[in-house]
Amino acid sequence: MELTLDINGRRIKADVPTDMLLVDLLRERLGLTGTHVGCDTSQCGACVVHVDGVSVKSCTMLAVAADGARVTSIEGLSGAGGKNSLHPMQIAFHENHGLQCGFCTPGMIMSAIDFAGRHAAPTEADVRHWLEGNMCRCTGYQNIVAAILAGTAAMHAAAATSSLEKV
Amino acid sequence: MGNVTGIGASILRKEDLRFITGRGNYVADIKLPGMTYAVFVRSPHAHAKLLGVDARAALAMPGVLAVLTGADMKADKVGGIPCGWGITGKDGLPMKEPPHPAMAYDKVRHVGDPIALVVAETVDLARLAADAVVVDYDVLPAVVGVLEALRPGAPAVFEDIPDNLCCDWEIGDRAATDAAFAGAAHVARISLVNNRLVGNPMEPRAAIAQYERSTDRTTLYSTSQFPHVVKLLMGNFVLGIPQHKLRVVAPDVGGGFGVKQFHYAEEAVVTWAARRLEVPVKWVSERSEGFVSDAQGRDHVTEAELALDETGKFLALRVSTLANMGGYLSTFGPNIPTNLYGPLLAGVYTTPAIYCEVKVVFTNTVPVDAYRGAGRPEATFVLERLVDVAAAEMGIDRVAIRRRNMIPTTAYPYQTPVMMEYDSGDPSGCLDRALAQADWDGFPARRAEAAKRGKYRGIGLATYVEACGLAPSRIAGRLGARGGLYESATVRVHATGDVTVLIGTHCHGQGHETTFAQIVSDKLGIPADKIEVVFGDTDKVQFGMGTYGSRSLSVGGSALAKSVDKVILKGRKIAAYMLEAGEPDIVFEDGKFSVTGTDRSLRFDEICLAAYIPHNYPLEVLEPGLEEQSFYDPVNFTFPGGAHVAEVEIDPDTGSVQLLSYVAVDDIGTVINPMIVAGQLHGGITQGAGQALCETAVYDDASGQLLSGSFMDYAMPRADIMPNMKIITHSTRCTHNDLGVKGCGEVGTIGSPATVINAVVDALSPLGITHVDMPAAPNRIWRLIQAARLPKAAE
Amino acid sequence: MQGFTYHRPASVADAVALLRSTGGTGIAGGMSLLPVMKHRLATPPALVDLSGVAALTGIAASGGTLSIGAMTRHVAVADSAVVAAAIPALASLAAGIGDPAVRNRGTIGGAIANADPAADYPAAILGLGATVVTDRREIAGDDFFTGLFTTALAPGELIVALRFPLPLAAAYAKFRSPASRYAVVGVFVARFADGVRVAVTGAAPSVFRVADMEAALAARFAPSAIAGIAIPPDGLNGDIHAEPAFRAHLVGVMAARAVAAASSVAA
């Protein structure tokens, strides 16, 4: 089946089997292997990407259902400095040692960016609750929570600055 | 400049960039030209005779290249999966060591036992074809638990081992222990279960193998913690591939925790299939597949007794454990509940007499082997629960009873009655800091406040010591290790002064690319970003034993330090020549070689250039180049230890246990990177808290089915069950390696189950509850509370 | 998964026609259906994706009822100011389903049609006495859930909207499984002028009401009114996390908590 979608700012056309999952379109067809598969019960969150701006488990969405959608995977993130710069949430994970083996990290970062968009002044409890659908076995979550709080603050500060600049 | 990136600095990790941008290179990410996809057909039965495999329908399906069976492997004379550790029983006889075929051909011994490999053009086609393979079974009664497996008449997992007993092992002095018990003022007893766990690193296991006829070379990419050892075991014992024709690569690996430190059947089967079919073959485990094929952890049933005098001084400890091996021997399986368990039963105490016997038992369950802590969490749990029980029974304060029996710092090095000699430690110092940080003394007020809200609040404490830094080869050999346990490191200094480290350990989240660079940075006085750490590819790196048993820093780091020292030694010779001074007058400091008492010096990078362009160089006595290698065999185990304190609050209406706070004070020797150490503790404590509160692998007793076969039923800790943990290091140097390091990878998981359960029992003690088995999950806690609240029946 | 044809109609009529002609299954958020298809436990010949039918999405309060389109995502119900004003308990129930990524895709119609014994929405349908509006009729909530994963829907019948009466007060209290995070027991309590409804999910193969509790709470709407009412464990679900007797006990605990929460919310 033919589909057209925007992946990380690039418009692509693909002919895919109807039963292809979005995660497999990304990993196998488009070579975007940053999105990971960690379970088979749609629970672990390693596969989280953004579809039309919100977190979605790409292992539980058909590729054909993304026809006409705007999909952002971890590879599509960047910062104010352009293509090779880091998104504030990526920087926050690095600065707060919010990753060890890195396998859950892309899903965590994508989920965290969605969180930041919905929380102006979050508490630690808000973050821990939000992460119900993101499992990590390495970090014990503590530094991930710190990273998400820091990344959220950085994202809001950057938005405030850029909106000031627009004036 | 200088030591900004050296030992003790919390520098951010060099390896992060690829992970935060989704450019890690995990096995499942790798694509090779012409690659095919493989799916295993696995037994749905826990115990059955395998009568036949009919692949005709599967082979007729589109895109299917092959269906390979255990019978095909046997006909090809493929060897069985070897066990790397042979323990010896009380009778002096070696353990029973039944064959472990890579794929079953006559009998299956656990749900998930692999029977056939389907290879197809896509993974979906392979899965459909695997569904179409027809297997003829004669289902047999299964046995799941160790108690049942030892009963006369129980189903025999192996026909020639009718009692299912792999080994009846012991350590310690039985006579001295029995005598001490005879004279005891009090004997505290406990019966407990250390529940089976599924390790579940977030990356499932995977393997890709490729054979190139024109070079006769075979390559295996595997999610392995010890690629060099896989090369040796698989190449030499299973597939008959010469070592110089085999390459094993463990690229980025998404977590190990021991689960990935074994040579698995799947590695051998995929490699054999790739050689046979001469196409690359890729297998990626599904999560529910991993639940029935990844080696599992723990699974002990224990009776233990502590003999005390009237003041609460420990006189003796007697432990009897039944340990589940599962359906086959995994690489290190027999070693975990024996040599990594019994010798830890002294803990931080001066108990003079200890006797431990362990029956290692086969059952129709997934094989059991090391999982983070590997034997030491089990030992700590028994000991620390018993100490709390003894304290309660004798009316002695839990802290006081520990202090009364604690090894004084002046007694180190301390020889325990169970083989281990601890080099250094400060258990009372750790205890003091933990109690202070946790505000132990302020707890009664917090308990009273919680009671007003209808909640039971408890505080728990555990001290521990562990043995890691595996291991001195001679000692390991005497204990049954079939390999050495040294480690290797090459320090390749480039002409420009940049450095590449080639090390035989493997990193799957622990930050070695950063911490090992810090060691080199510290010693050479160059920034960490001039140092690259390479591991995991047997074509690039010399033989090493890999990463497990918290050995990378103490054994690998020591090999690395030695190699750097050799580089410096050679550098001094070069500098002496170039500076026209005697070698004893050369000082190396802050990255410069100088002549004592003068201002004449050369920078490290100037020496490096000279080594590779040896025009002004002592060629008569010194070879050009600057690359040094060391193989380091440790002198002893290392003995990290510490004290942990946790508080819990229990809702009696629902049985829910909430972990409110956790303090860990750990002696891990020299700290290379405090940030990374804290991360290791966070992760380890969360895994131990997981065991204590929610994780447990459950098999159906009758059928042997794994009831907790996915994340829907196996309760993995999420962020919302953990509090923020307070991590403090209180270090004493290891006395037998130059860096003074002890390792920290497993200490979190070792101290935490006892700490949390001691808190749970403390919370419920007003109800007369004296023990809670793990996990302290809501249904269990509710039942205990209900039973405790019933009016006592007339005796 | 096995091959299937995929269709994305724009109207209810087209969707119903496609379901009839293909013999396939409707897919809403896919949060329940896709995992089952991935394990090859369901192999429909066709999937009719309902996300293209604009008429199925929407939230409106009017004439003393709240209407929610079947394809309305959980996150939309959770975030809706209209729902928060009309039935805040429904918004907070939706906010507690699954995790954020699940809530972005999962739908109320999909959850109700699937009738998972541990799903949250069925407790709200039964607890509020909602009406299930399909493409061909209206089904009272009391008549909708008929068994384990079974509803009164005919093959190919599509849920179009859920219509809720507005209670004076309501609340939902859930005890989650530590592994799946689904409801081990979830109790939805709603007080109306003419009585009280108490609906329980998670405990049994299908959602059910507790008549004894409803009568007691109609007389006096307070947790103590139901303190003595015990649910028999017979017929309740049991698994490795919660035995029937524990679930029976939790029904009482969660009902009391729901009543307490409903009492504290202004009418």
Side-chain angles (χ1 to χ4, degrees):
Chain A
M1 225 179 136
E2 289 255 334
L3 65 105
T4 308
L5 64 160
D6 180 314
I7 301 261
N8 298 331
R10 198 164 60 97
R11 191 177 162 81
I12 65 121
K13 275 185 182 328
D15 192 351
V16 302
T18 53
D19 59 0
M20 177 176 257
L21 298 168
L22 179 58
V23 67
D24 292 325
L25 173 71
L26 294 171
R27 287 181 56 79
E28 307 302 324
R29 196 63 81 84
L30 299 176
L32 297 168
T33 55
T35 303
H36 300 144
V37 175
C39 78
D40 50 15
T41 49
S42 309
Q43 291 175 275
C44 79
C47 68
V48 169
V49 298
H50 293 169
V51 176
D52 292 331
V54 298
S55 312
V56 164
K57 290 180 175 173
S58 63
C59 76
T60 316
M61 182 169 178
L62 295 173
V64 290
D67 185 31
R70 183 173 44 92
V71 176
T72 309
S73 69
I74 185 78
E75 294 94 337
L77 295 183
S78 61
K83 189 168 163 293
N84 283 330
S85 67
L86 291 173
H87 187 284
M89 192 59 76
Q90 289 171 308
I91 294 171
F93 269 74
H94 174 57
E95 290 181 345
N96 287 274
H97 186 35
L99 63 146
Q100 291 183 24
C101 81
F103 196 78
C104 76
T105 306
M108 283 285 179
I109 289 174
M110 300 310 287
S111 182
I113 291 170
D114 192 4
F115 173 84
R118 287 175 59 93
H119 291 82
T123 64
E124 184 200 314
D126 291 333
V127 179
R128 287 185 180 278
H129 180 58
W130 181 269
L131 292 178
E132 196 172 352
N134 288 92
M135 284 185 199
C136 173
R137 203 46 156 164
C138 292
T139 67
Y141 303 102
Q142 186 153 327
N143 288 348
I144 290 177
V145 172
I148 292 175
L149 287 170
T152 298
M155 285 172 66
H156 292 324
T161 309
S162 74
S163 66
L164 281 174
E165 284 165 355
K166 282 187 190 108
V167 168
Chain B
M1 236 311 273
N3 287 351
V4 172
T5 51
I7 291 173
S10 280
I11 65 170
L12 299 181
R13 292 196 337 168
K14 297 162 96 258
E15 50 263 77
D16 280 356
L17 184 60
R18 64 187 188 272
F19 298 128
I20 60 178
T21 55
R23 285 172 169 83
N25 187 37
Y26 301 92
V27 174
D29 300 340
I30 295 171
K31 293 179 179 59
L32 302 175
M35 198 164 70
T36 63
Y37 297 81
V39 164
F40 279 91
V41 176
R42 295 181 182 277
S43 171
H45 303 292
H47 199 197
K49 286 194 194 132
L50 187 55
L51 301 175
V53 180
D54 183 351
R56 285 171 298 176
L59 284 164
M61 291 172 71
V64 175
L65 277 79
V67 178
L68 301 168
T69 66
D72 293 330
M73 287 191 105
K74 188 159 183 282
D76 241 8
K77 299 193 176 8
V78 173
I81 301 297
C83 179
W85 206 297
I87 57 173
T88 303
K90 289 173 182 170
D91 48 14
L93 290 175
M95 68 184 187
K96 296 275 173 24
E97 194 167 351
H100 182 176
M103 285 204 287
Y105 56 83
D106 64 347
K107 203 176 177 217
V108 291
R109 294 185 170 87
H110 64 87
V111 173
D113 205 351
I115 290 157
L117 187 75
V118 176
V119 183
E121 287 165 9
T122 72
V123 69
D124 283 334
L125 291 173
R127 284 198 193 115
L128 288 171
D131 286 349
V133 172
V134 180
V135 185
D136 193 11
Y137 297 100
D138 178 11
V139 180
L140 301 169
V143 66
V144 158
V146 287
L147 288 161
E148 290 68 35
L150 289 173
R151 284 206 187 99
V157 178
F158 296 94
E159 282 88 39
D160 53 351
I161 310 172
D163 59 1
N164 290 316
L165 187 61
C166 171
C167 188
D168 189 0
W169 179 93
E170 68 181 356
I171 188 171
D173 187 334
R174 174 169 227 157
T177 301
D178 287 349
F181 269 87
H186 185 83
V187 173
R189 290 186 176 83
I190 196 163
S191 297
L192 62 85
V193 169
N194 199 297
N195 50 319
R196 185 186 282 234
L197 302 175
V198 181
N200 283 322
M202 290 319 298
E203 179 207 29
R205 286 192 297 126
I208 304 173
Q210 179 178 38
Y211 175 68
E212 176 50 58
R213 174 165 285 277
S214 65
T215 55
D216 193 31
R217 292 205 100 230
T218 304
T219 303
L220 167 68
Y221 299 88
S222 178
T223 52
S224 176
Q225 296 175 223
F226 66 175
H228 302 275
V229 183
V230 170
K231 181 178 142 188
L232 182 59
L233 293 177
M234 183 179 80
N236 195 47
F237 294 98
V238 187
L239 296 181
I241 305 171
Q243 291 294 284
H244 63 298
K245 289 296 194 181
L246 176 59
R247 176 184 179 208
V248 178
V249 181
D252 289 325
V253 171
F257 315 115
V259 174
K260 295 173 177 168
Q261 82 179 61
F262 317 117
H263 173 43
Y264 277 100
E266 290 86 0
E267 290 169 325
V269 175
V270 168
T271 304
W272 168 74
R275 284 163 58 84
R276 191 169 155 124
L277 300 172
E278 295 196 32
V279 285
V281 176
K282 178 179 191 173
W283 163 75
V284 179
S285 177
E286 298 191 46
R287 180 59 63 178
S288 47
E289 179 181 10
F291 268 91
V292 294
S293 59
D294 294 350
Q296 302 182 339
R298 315 287 191 258
D299 202 340
H300 292 195
V301 174
T302 295
E303 306 278 331
E305 305 173 288
L306 181 63
L308 305 100
D309 75 9
E310 66 282 356
T311 72
K313 198 105 170 92
F314 305 160
L315 302 175
L317 175 67
R318 192 157 55 198
V319 176
S320 182
T321 289
L322 308 178
N324 202 331
M325 277 292 96
Y328 298 100
L329 294 179
S330 172
T331 310
F332 294 126
N335 186 46
I336 309 310
T338 56
N339 295 310
L340 292 179
Y341 171 72
L344 276 307
L345 289 171
V348 300
Y349 307 119
T350 54
T351 316
I354 296 176
Y355 177 72
C356 171
E357 54 182 1
V358 180
K359 288 185 166 62
V360 177
V361 182
F362 292 113
T363 67
N364 293 118
T365 59
V366 175
V368 175
D369 204 325
Y371 166 60
R372 201 170 193 174
R376 291 96 77 207
E378 296 89 307
T380 302
F381 189 73
V382 171
L383 185 55
E384 290 299 293
R385 283 296 308 126
L386 249 186
V387 170
D388 262 22
V389 166
E393 289 176 356
M394 294 187 73
I396 303 175
D397 177 78
R398 292 178 283 167
V399 174
I401 199 171
R402 287 175 167 86
R403 288 199 199 283
R404 200 161 298 167
N405 288 281
M406 204 159 260
I407 300 167
T409 43
T410 49
Y412 288 86
Y414 178 81
Q415 177 65 57
T416 71
V418 278
M419 191 190 75
M420 297 296 186
E421 186 188 70
Y422 306 150
D423 62 321
S424 65
D426 181 14
S428 49
C430 289
L431 179 59
D432 290 341
R433 287 185 76 177
L435 296 173
Q437 182 66 42
D439 185 23
W440 180 270
D441 292 338
F443 177 73
R446 297 194 289 279
R447 193 205 294 269
E449 185 279 328
K452 288 202 194 94
R453 289 183 282 110
K455 304 283 199 288
Y456 292 100
R457 191 165 175 135
I459 192 166
L461 157 71
T463 65
Y464 75 92
V465 72
E466 77 116 330
C468 60
L470 306 186
S473 290
R474 280 201 208 109
I475 297 177
R478 280 203 297 272
L479 297 176
R482 289 167 175 173
L485 279 162
Y486 48 83
E487 200 39 77
S488 70
T490 300
V491 174
R492 172 170 301 160
V493 185
H494 301 281
T496 50
D498 305 306
V499 175
T500 300
V501 169
L502 307 162
I503 192 159
T505 53
H506 186 271
C507 182
H508 27 279
Q510 301 93 323
H512 296 172
E513 290 173 34
T514 305
T515 52
F516 290 169
Q518 286 179 258
I519 292 170
V520 177
S521 169
D522 197 272
K523 290 172 85 71
L524 291 182
I526 62 176
D529 63 10
K530 289 178 80 67
I531 302 156
E532 177 96 344
V533 179
V534 173
F535 46 80
D537 184 336
T538 63
D539 263 10
K540 290 184 189 169
V541 181
Q542 72 288 336
F543 188 86
M545 287 301 293
T547 289
Y548 41 86
S550 303
R551 66 190 304 275
S552 298
L553 180 59
S554 55
V555 191
S558 295
L560 177 58
K562 278 190 149 17
S563 294
V564 179
D565 288 343
K566 290 178 183 175
V567 166
I568 295 170
L569 188 65
K570 186 165 183 178
R572 295 177 73 247
K573 292 182 157 65
I574 300 169
Y577 183 86
M578 292 174 75
L579 293 168
E580 295 171 349
E583 215 192 302
D585 296 327
I586 297 293
V587 166
F588 179 63
E589 211 170 17
D590 292 333
K592 283 204 307 272
F593 295 89
S594 11
V595 182
T596 307
T598 76
D599 61 359
R600 288 187 298 129
S601 70
L602 287 165
R603 294 187 316 269
F604 179 71
D605 62 281
E606 291 174 304
I607 297 297
C608 300
L609 195 64
Y612 287 92
I613 306 177
H615 294 165
N616 180 19
Y617 193 90
L619 284 166
E620 292 76 12
V621 295
L622 201 62
E623 295 170 10
L626 192 52
E627 174 165 324
E628 299 290 346
Q629 184 179 85
S630 300
F631 283 72
Y632 172 75
D633 202 291
V635 174
N636 194 357
F637 296 84
T638 60
F639 299 98
H644 293 185
V645 178
E647 274 185 50
V648 300
E649 206 165 89
I650 300 180
D651 178 348
D653 288 338
T654 62
S656 301
V657 179
Q658 194 189 356
L659 183 59
L660 294 174
S661 69
Y662 200 99
V663 170
V665 178
D666 299 284
D667 176 358
I668 58 163
T670 303
V671 176
I672 308 298
N673 185 319
M675 177 191 82
I676 286 180
V677 166
Q680 289 296 299
L681 264 297
H682 294 159
I685 291 165
T686 300
Q687 284 175 298
Q691 174 174 26
L693 297 176
C694 55
E695 293 184 49
T696 194
V698 179
Y699 286 84
D700 180 80
D701 281 331
S703 67
Q705 293 298 314
L706 180 61
L707 299 176
S708 54
S710 78
F711 289 157
M712 289 295 276
D713 279 303
Y714 188 86
M716 296 281 283
R718 269 58 152 221
D720 60 10
I721 75 158
M722 292 304 294
N724 278 324
M725 299 160 265
K726 182 73 182 162
I727 309 299
I728 296 169
T729 51
H730 178 82
S731 283
T732 62
R733 283 183 69 91
C734 173
T735 62
H736 60 77
N737 65 55
D738 286 349
L739 293 169
V741 294
K742 299 185 179 180
C744 73
E746 295 166 281
V747 297
T749 318
I750 289 167
S752 47
T755 306
V756 174
I757 294 297
N758 281 350
V760 170
V761 174
D762 181 58
L764 298 175
S765 56
L767 293 168
I769 289 165
T770 57
H771 181 65
V772 177
D773 261 337
M774 300 187 286
N779 201 149
R780 168 173 283 147
I781 297 300
W782 172 73
R783 277 192 148 275
L784 283 171
I785 294 175
Q786 295 304 105
R789 282 175 173 169
L790 288 172
K792 295 279 179 258
E795 296 300 301
Chain C
M1 292 185 269
Q2 276 168 301
F4 49 83
T5 57
Y6 174 83
H7 313 267
R8 203 159 171 210
S11 74
V12 174
D14 286 349
V16 173
L18 277 165
L19 286 169
R20 190 181 309 121
S21 65
T22 63
T25 304
I27 181 167
M31 293 295 102
S32 300
L33 181 58
L34 285 176
V36 159
M37 287 177 67
K38 283 163 72 176
H39 285 281
R40 296 186 298 293
L41 297 169
T43 52
L47 285 185
V48 179
D49 188 337
L50 301 168
S51 63
V53 183
L56 292 177
T57 300
I59 299 171
S62 72
T65 65
L66 173 70
S67 251
I68 302 180
M71 279 300 290
T72 309
R73 313 277 178 181
H74 302 324
V75 67
V77 174
D79 289 351
S80 163
V82 174
V83 177
I87 313 176
L90 198 60
S92 78
L93 176 151
I97 297 173
D99 59 58
V102 166
R103 294 193 284 276
N104 285 332
R105 295 289 296 167
T107 66
I108 185 169
I112 284 159
N114 186 43
D116 188 305
D120 300 314
Y121 266 128
I125 298 296
L126 203 59
L128 289 164
T131 303
V132 181
V133 180
T134 78
D135 63 280
R136 60 197 75 168
R137 57 181 166 145
E138 296 193 353
I139 308 174
D142 280 328
D143 302 330
F144 187 79
F145 300 100
T146 58
L148 182 68
F149 290 104
T150 320
T151 70
L153 291 172
E157 182 175 6
L158 218 51
I159 301 178
V160 165
L162 289 313
R163 200 168 64 233
F164 299 89
L166 304 187
L168 296 172
Y172 180 62
K174 168 164 72 167
F175 187 79
R176 291 161 175 268
S177 155
S180 71
R181 299 310 185 95
Y182 274 79
V184 168
V185 165
V187 181
F188 197 102
V189 172
R191 184 161 71 88
F192 295 90
D194 60 352
V196 176
R197 295 173 72 99
V198 176
V200 178
T201 188
S206 189
V207 65
F208 65 91
R209 287 170 63 182
V210 188
D212 289 351
M213 288 189 178
E214 293 179 347
L217 291 168
R220 187 167 59 85
F221 193 78
S224 54
I226 56 172
I229 297 175
I231 310 291
D234 322 288
L236 294 190
N237 299 330
D239 66 11
I240 61 174
H241 300 289
E243 60 188 313
F246 184 48
R247 288 178 206 250
H249 165 78
L250 285 173
V251 171
V253 175
M254 292 300 129
R257 290 186 184 183
V259 172
S263 305
S264 69
V265 171

